[in-house]
Amino acid sequence: QVQLVQSGAEVKKPGASVKVSCKASGYTFTSYDINWVRQATGQGLEWMGWMNPNSGNTGYAQKFQGRVTMTRNTSISTAYMELSSLRSEDTAVYYCARVRRYSSLLDAFDIWGQGTMVTVSS
Amino acid sequence: VIWMTQSPSLLSASTGDRVIISCRMSQGISSYLAWYQQKPGKAPELLIYAASTLQSGVPSRFSGSGSGTDFTLTISCLQSEDFATYYCQQYYSFPPTFGQGTKVEIK
């Protein structure tokens, strides 16, 4: 079935970087954009950015510009989100999510990964 | 940036109730609106896209309406499995933004 499976929980110190993976299966990875959304405990959903797995093109929320990098490895159908200069406020669950329509830049997110908890603590 | 006001933030209801959640935009977005359901410890799930189109597999007691700036999600007959948090999301323009969420709890 169509699914996104993310890497496991991470604990990082302030100032470090984290790289979360998102492995796609059940569909053609390069045909649907991947977005990243995060959620702090008890809080709402915050969009971080998108990546086109075919071209590698990306777009990031202004808040994360300069700190986030989204990449992919098409040979293993996996997307990555790396966040650097971590601070305590980055403690959250990070989700990857697929856009609903083929080759659509902006759309609803129909498939979500299970989430990766990233804890930033000294 | 398009801002969204979702209301109420908390809704207490009983099984069998009709529930309505509202989402208002700071500017018109045509029908580029989605609704998600999220249960504790789980990823959000898409319920409705294009303001009123039910995602495959979603029960028909869920419905969406609206266009422009004002949208609603209606649950016609609340079931036990519907107690969750609901989010609206606009995908009319970058950055896509989410409402603050509505938690539907047992009365």
Side-chain angles (χ1 to χ4, degrees):
Chain A
Q1 74 277 27
V2 176
Q3 62 177 353
L4 298 171
V5 178
Q6 298 183 223
S7 49
E10 303 264 12
V11 179
K12 297 291 183 181
K13 293 194 182 302
S17 297
V18 68
K19 190 171 186 177
V20 179
S21 68
C22 171
K23 183 173 177 59
S25 61
Y27 74 97
T28 303
F29 174 63
T30 51
S31 294
Y32 297 81
D33 285 7
I34 293 287
N35 286 250
W36 290 86
V37 175
R38 77 177 186 180
Q39 184 173 40
T41 303
Q43 302 300 307
L45 301 166
E46 181 176 33
W47 181 80
M48 299 181 68
W50 65 269
M51 183 192 63
N52 181 305
N54 185 44
S55 64
N57 289 344
T58 56
Y60 304 135
Q62 191 168 5
K63 175 177 180 176
F64 301 103
Q65 288 275 2
R67 280 209 305 145
V68 70
T69 305
M70 296 176 187
T71 57
R72 88 289 192 213
N73 183 334
T74 57
S75 67
I76 56 172
S77 300
T78 300
Y80 302 93
M81 186 283 299
E82 184 170 21
L83 188 63
S84 62
S85 303
L86 290 169
R87 35 214 189 224
S88 57
E89 310 89 88
D90 294 318
T91 295
V93 176
Y94 290 75
Y95 294 102
C96 58
R98 189 191 83 161
V99 295
R100 187 182 61 84
R101 281 179 304 165
Y102 168 82
S103 290
S104 177
L105 180 58
L106 260 182
D107 205 338
F109 304 149
D110 68 339
I111 305 295
W112 294 66
Q114 82 277 20
T116 297
M117 181 71 214
V118 175
T119 303
V120 183
S121 174
S122 54
Chain B
V1 178
I2 296 177
W3 300 105
M4 311 169 70
T5 303
Q6 189 175 338
S7 61
S9 55
L10 177 64
L11 194 159
S12 298
S14 302
T15 303
D17 284 353
R18 178 183 175 93
V19 162
I20 298 174
I21 298 169
S22 172
C23 197
R24 175 165 287 179
M25 309 296 137
S26 60
Q27 64 186 78
I29 63 165
S30 183
S31 296
Y32 294 98
L33 186 99
W35 290 97
Y36 300 89
Q37 177 192 69
Q38 187 179 32
K39 296 182 179 179
K42 299 294 186 182
E45 292 186 0
L46 178 63
L47 296 175
I48 286 169
Y49 61 91
S52 61
T53 303
L54 213 59
Q55 173 71 348
S56 175
V58 174
S60 59
R61 63 181 179 272
F62 291 93
S63 64
S65 65
S67 67
T69 59
D70 292 300
F71 300 85
T72 58
L73 171 70
T74 301
I75 309 173
S76 61
C77 183
L78 200 64
Q79 301 298 299
S80 57
E81 60 267 32
D82 301 335
F83 291 99
T85 300
Y86 295 84
Y87 294 93
C88 55
Q89 178 217 1
Q90 68 81 17
Y91 52 98
Y92 176 78
S93 67
F94 278 107
T97 44
F98 293 89
Q100 304 94 316
T102 295
K103 183 177 181 179
V104 178
E105 67 169 21
I106 300 173
K107 191 173 187 179

